[in-house]
Amino acid sequence: MVKLNKIYTRTGDNGTTGLVTGPRRSKSDLRVDAYGSVDEANAFVGLARQHTGDSPYLDPMLMRIQNDLFDLGADLATPETGQKQEYEPLRIIAAQVERLEAEIDRLNADLQPLRSFVLPAGSAASAALHAARTVARRAERQIVALAETEGEIVSREAVAYINRLSDFLFVAARWANDRGRADVLWVPGKNR
């Protein structure tokens, strides 16, 4: 269990931060940037939840996702070293990805097929979910770049989870727009 007694330590004043396993990295390091974007996506999901609290269907899904995003951040902040750890590092597992897929399918079953691209608009919940989706996509790009970096290991499950999350957030945004009936569709060239 995490215990935080003191919020500031001054150890990061030199532009570095400590990973879970102890080594310090620059705050601009790709790994730190990736789990920072995961944290930002989590904050946007929390913002979206300010508009979904009355939904006994969608809000619990988003609450689970917020917890999963902390798991993903912990996974990324604990690099695989190939050495035995004193404890089992927290890692994203396939069941978390599978749950997201099942929830996407449940929400998508209520939606009409798309006739055009959807603008990130509509209800406040939908707009906030679209914002969370774009941050999740950025986190995905950073996590993939990290996984492609020599000497860095990122699990397939972590990459799959963040990829599936942005899919979930897209479908959830449409679902929050009156099950897609209030989607704002892109009209190519409309304002020419």
Side-chain angles (χ1 to χ4, degrees), residues 36 96 108 125 160 176 181 183:
Q96 290 168 292
N108 204 41
R181 290 185 287 274
D183 280 341

Side-chain angles (χ1 to χ4, degrees), residues 42-102:
N42 200 344
F44 273 95
V45 172
L47 181 63
R49 290 189 63 215
Q50 298 303 301
H51 305 287
T52 63
D54 60 344
S55 171
Y57 193 64
L58 182 57
D59 195 61
M61 292 178 188
L62 294 172
M63 186 169 55
R64 281 190 298 275
I65 285 167
Q66 284 197 284
N67 201 81
D68 284 353
L69 286 172
F70 259 84
D71 289 355
L72 179 58
D75 185 329
L76 294 170
T78 312
E80 179 63 52
T81 62
Q83 298 174 346
K84 178 98 170 104
Q85 299 289 329
E86 295 177 17
Y87 58 91
E88 173 102 18
L90 184 58
R91 301 287 183 216
I92 292 293
I93 62 172
Q96 290 168 292
V97 178
E98 291 162 5
R99 190 200 74 242
L100 267 182
E101 290 172 351

Side-chain angles (χ1 to χ4, degrees), residues 169-185:
L169 293 168
F170 175 77
V171 171
R174 291 198 64 217
W175 193 89
N177 262 345
D178 192 22
R179 314 303 185 270
R181 290 185 287 274
D183 280 341
V184 180
L185 300 179

Side-chain angles (χ1 to χ4, degrees), residues 143-163:
I143 291 168
V144 168
L146 178 65
E148 292 172 345
T149 301
E150 189 171 335
E152 297 286 4
I153 299 170
V154 178
S155 73
R156 289 181 186 181
E157 291 81 8
V159 174
Y161 185 88
I162 195 68
N163 180 39

